[in-house]
């Protein structure tokens, strides 16, 4: 039921969810840092894809989809998204630098980067959330699996 209400709230542009927040504690500093690292990773994927020649429309769609999904995640789990834009931009610069360094060293990682980028560009919120849960041994407020 909460999934339906979440989607409805976002579709209607609601500023707040249509349900009462779960009863877990607000994220601690380490969880906030983890969230910020997810934002940076999304930016790094975008910057690396740019360095590999991704099209401007694809880059814009990836950035928009990442923003939508990660801001929904922040709202759902109580993370601060105040630094979202700065963290994403920092990630973009790091991703571009990483790819430029790889190219200079004779390594071409663009095929892998662009494959992941294309998947993220159209990834649903639920798929992103499942991927983050897998990387993070569960979702915020859950015991590690």
């Amino acid at each position: 039921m909460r999934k339906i209400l979440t989607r409805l709230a976002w579709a209607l542009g609601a500023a707040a969810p249509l349900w009462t927040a779960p009863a877990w504690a607000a994220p601690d500093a380490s969880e906030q840092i983890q969230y910020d690292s997810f934002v940076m990773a999304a930016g790094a994927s975008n910057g690396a894809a740019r360095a590999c020649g991704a099209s401007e429309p694809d880059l814009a769609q990836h950035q928009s989809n990442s923003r939508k999904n990660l801001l929904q995640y922040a709202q759902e789990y109580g993370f601060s998204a105040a630094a979202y834009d700065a963290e994403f931009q920092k990630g973009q610069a790091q991703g571009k630098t990483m790819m430029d360094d790889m190219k200079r060293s004779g390594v071409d990682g663009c095929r892998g980067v662009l494959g992941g980028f294309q998947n993220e560009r159209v990834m649903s919120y639920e798929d992103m959330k499942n991927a983050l849960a897998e990387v993070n041994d569960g979702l915020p407020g859950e015991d590690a699996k």
Side-chain angles (χ1 to χ4, degrees), residues 122-145:
V122 295
M123 185 176 278
S124 71
Y125 174 69
E126 289 301 318
D127 286 344
M128 182 219 60
K129 190 165 88 167
N130 290 335
L132 295 181
E134 199 171 305
V135 168
N136 210 33
D137 290 330
L139 294 168
E142 293 181 345
D143 291 332
K145 294 179 182 175

Side-chain angles (χ1 to χ4, degrees), residues 36-51 62-63 83-99:
D36 292 341
S37 76
F38 293 151
V39 174
M40 281 184 57
S45 178
N46 191 277
R50 178 178 298 280
H62 176 272
Q63 187 169 355
Y84 183 92
D85 291 327
E87 295 294 333
F88 191 88
Q89 289 170 0
K90 190 186 315 181
Q92 283 177 309
Q94 289 175 351
K96 180 184 181 322
T97 298
M98 177 188 71
M99 291 312 298

